[in-house]
Amino acid sequence: ESIRTLVGAALGDDVVIGAGTVLSVEDVEAVAATGASLVVSPNVDEAVVRKTKALGMISLPGVATPSEAFSALRWGADALKAFPGEQIPPKIIKAWKAVLPKTVCLMPVGGVTLANMQDYWDVGASGFGVGTSLYAPGDTPEEVAKKARDFVQHMEAVTRTQGTKRPLPGA
């Protein structure tokens, strides 16, 4: 219900609403029913990617190897979630960027922190996904808001040093 509420909130053309941990075709259909436009998964599943694209949504599956990345792209993925980021450090992202199409949006997710954002950006990451670095059970709304502000400020600093021209999903 929260996704449907966000979709109807008129947040602007530059805001993309979607769902994460989408694991099945049924999950994709449920996301589509809310009016959301983004499907994020922790894995790459051909049926999920193909259904997402058939319904006109942005597909961002999780990949942990170049083979998974190429399969996801072949099936129609719009972008790639390098997951889990803790196991895919910047030097690996750099190697992937050398072989993946230059237009691919590649976003490390999981383990991205204020301390390593610059390193990922320097090797070509298009953006980042943050979860536990932003919210941990028991955090107050004020604590989460402060962490979010810190991430936004840090991202602004990171992009000032290298520029903001990176491939984005659906762009």
Side-chain angles (χ1 to χ4, degrees), residues 7 13-14 43 47 49 54 57 63 91 93-95 100 109 112-114 117 137 149 157 163 165 170:
V7 168
D13 292 340
D14 60 342
N43 63 324
V49 172
M57 295 186 292
V63 297
K91 67 182 178 180
I93 296 295
K94 181 179 180 181
L100 290 171
V109 177
V112 175
T113 65
L114 296 174
M117 284 176 73
R149 282 190 301 275
K165 297 287 187 190

Coordinates of all heavy atoms in Angstrom, one line a residue, residues 7 13-14 43 47 49 54 57 63 91 93-95 100 109 112-114 117 137 149 157 163 165 170:
V7 N 3.3 6.4 -5.4 CA 3.0 6.6 -6.8 C 2.0 7.8 -7.0 O 2.1 8.6 -7.9 CB 2.4 5.3 -7.5 CG1 1.9 5.6 -8.9 CG2 3.6 4.3 -7.6
D13 N 8.7 14.4 -11.9 CA 9.1 13.6 -13.0 C 10.5 12.9 -12.8 O 10.8 11.9 -13.5 CB 9.2 14.4 -14.3 CG 7.8 14.8 -14.8 OD1 6.8 14.2 -14.3 OD2 7.7 15.8 -15.6
D14 N 11.3 13.4 -11.9 CA 12.6 12.8 -11.7 C 12.6 11.8 -10.6 O 13.7 11.3 -10.2 CB 13.7 13.9 -11.4 CG 13.3 14.7 -10.2 OD1 12.2 14.7 -9.7 OD2 14.3 15.4 -9.7
N43 N 18.5 -11.0 -7.3 CA 19.1 -12.0 -8.2 C 18.7 -11.7 -9.6 O 17.9 -10.8 -9.9 CB 18.5 -13.4 -7.8 CG 17.0 -13.5 -8.0 OD1 16.3 -12.5 -7.7 ND2 16.5 -14.7 -8.4
A47 N 12.6 -15.0 -16.2 CA 11.1 -14.7 -16.2 C 10.8 -13.4 -15.6 O 9.9 -12.7 -16.1 CB 10.4 -15.9 -15.5
V49 N 12.8 -10.7 -15.3 CA 13.2 -9.6 -16.2 C 12.3 -9.4 -17.4 O 11.9 -8.3 -17.7 CB 14.7 -9.8 -16.6 CG1 15.1 -8.8 -17.7 CG2 15.7 -9.8 -15.5
A54 N 7.9 -6.7 -20.3 CA 6.7 -6.8 -21.0 C 5.6 -5.9 -20.4 O 4.7 -5.4 -21.2 CB 6.2 -8.3 -20.9
M57 N 8.0 -1.7 -17.4 CA 8.7 -1.2 -16.2 C 10.2 -1.3 -16.4 O 10.7 -2.0 -17.3 CB 8.2 -1.9 -15.0 CG 6.8 -1.7 -14.7 SD 6.2 -2.4 -13.1 CE 6.4 -4.2 -13.5
V63 N 23.1 -8.9 -9.8 CA 24.1 -9.8 -10.5 C 25.4 -9.8 -9.6 O 25.7 -8.8 -9.0 CB 24.4 -9.3 -11.9 CG1 23.2 -9.4 -12.8 CG2 25.0 -7.9 -11.9
K91 N 37.5 -2.6 -7.2 CA 38.4 -3.2 -8.3 C 37.7 -4.2 -9.2 O 38.0 -4.3 -10.3 CB 39.7 -3.8 -7.6 CG 39.4 -5.0 -6.8 CD 40.7 -5.5 -6.2 CE 40.5 -6.7 -5.3 NZ 41.7 -7.2 -4.7
I93 N 34.3 -4.0 -9.8 CA 33.4 -3.1 -10.6 C 34.2 -2.5 -11.8 O 33.8 -2.5 -12.9 CB 32.8 -2.0 -9.8 CG1 31.9 -2.6 -8.7 CG2 32.1 -1.0 -10.7 CD1 30.7 -3.3 -9.2
K94 N 35.5 -2.1 -11.5 CA 36.3 -1.6 -12.6 C 36.5 -2.6 -13.7 O 36.5 -2.3 -14.9 CB 37.7 -1.2 -12.0 CG 38.6 -0.6 -13.0 CD 39.9 -0.1 -12.4 CE 40.8 0.5 -13.4 NZ 42.1 0.9 -12.8
A95 N 36.8 -3.9 -13.3 CA 37.0 -5.0 -14.3 C 35.7 -5.2 -15.1 O 35.8 -5.4 -16.3 CB 37.5 -6.2 -13.6
L100 N 31.7 -4.7 -19.9 CA 30.2 -4.5 -20.1 C 30.1 -3.3 -21.1 O 31.0 -2.5 -21.3 CB 29.6 -4.1 -18.8 CG 29.4 -5.2 -17.8 CD1 28.9 -4.7 -16.5 CD2 28.5 -6.3 -18.3
V109 N 25.1 -2.4 -4.6 CA 24.1 -2.3 -3.5 C 24.5 -3.3 -2.5 O 24.9 -4.5 -2.8 CB 22.7 -2.7 -4.1 CG1 21.7 -2.7 -3.0 CG2 22.3 -1.8 -5.2
V112 N 27.5 -0.4 0.7 CA 27.9 0.9 0.3 C 27.8 1.9 1.5 O 26.8 1.9 2.2 CB 27.1 1.4 -0.9 CG1 27.4 2.9 -1.2 CG2 27.2 0.5 -2.1
T113 N 28.9 2.6 1.7 CA 29.0 3.4 2.9 C 29.5 4.8 2.5 O 30.0 5.0 1.3 CB 29.9 2.9 4.0 OG1 31.3 2.8 3.4 CG2 29.5 1.5 4.4
L114 N 29.5 5.8 3.4 CA 30.1 7.1 3.1 C 31.6 6.9 2.8 O 32.2 7.6 2.0 CB 29.9 8.0 4.2 CG 28.4 8.4 4.5 CD1 28.4 9.2 5.8 CD2 27.8 9.1 3.4
M117 N 31.9 5.2 -1.1 CA 31.2 5.7 -2.3 C 32.2 6.3 -3.3 O 32.0 6.1 -4.5 CB 30.2 6.8 -1.8 CG 29.0 6.3 -1.2 SD 27.9 7.7 -0.6 CE 27.3 8.3 -2.1
P137 N 17.3 -1.5 12.3 CA 16.2 -1.6 13.2 C 16.5 -0.8 14.5 O 17.6 -0.9 15.0 CB 16.1 -3.1 13.4 CG 16.7 -3.7 12.2 CD 17.8 -2.8 11.7
R149 N 20.6 12.7 4.9 CA 21.3 14.0 4.6 C 22.8 13.8 4.3 O 23.3 14.4 3.4 CB 21.0 15.0 5.7 CG 19.6 15.6 5.6 CD 19.5 16.9 6.6 NE 19.8 16.5 8.0 CZ 19.0 16.0 8.8 NH1 17.7 15.8 8.5 NH2 19.3 15.8 10.1
A157 N 29.2 15.8 -3.2 CA 30.7 16.0 -3.2 C 31.3 15.0 -4.2 O 32.2 15.4 -4.9 CB 31.2 15.8 -1.8
G163 N 32.0 14.5 -12.0 CA 30.9 14.8 -12.9 C 29.8 13.8 -12.6 O 29.9 12.8 -12.0
K165 N 27.7 12.6 -15.3 CA 27.3 11.9 -16.5 C 27.6 10.4 -16.3 O 28.7 9.9 -16.6 CB 28.1 12.4 -17.7 CG 27.8 13.9 -18.0 CD 26.4 14.0 -18.5 CE 26.2 15.5 -19.0 NZ 24.8 15.7 -19.3
G170 N 16.5 3.4 -17.4 CA 15.3 4.0 -18.0 C 15.6 5.4 -18.7 O 14.7 6.0 -19.3

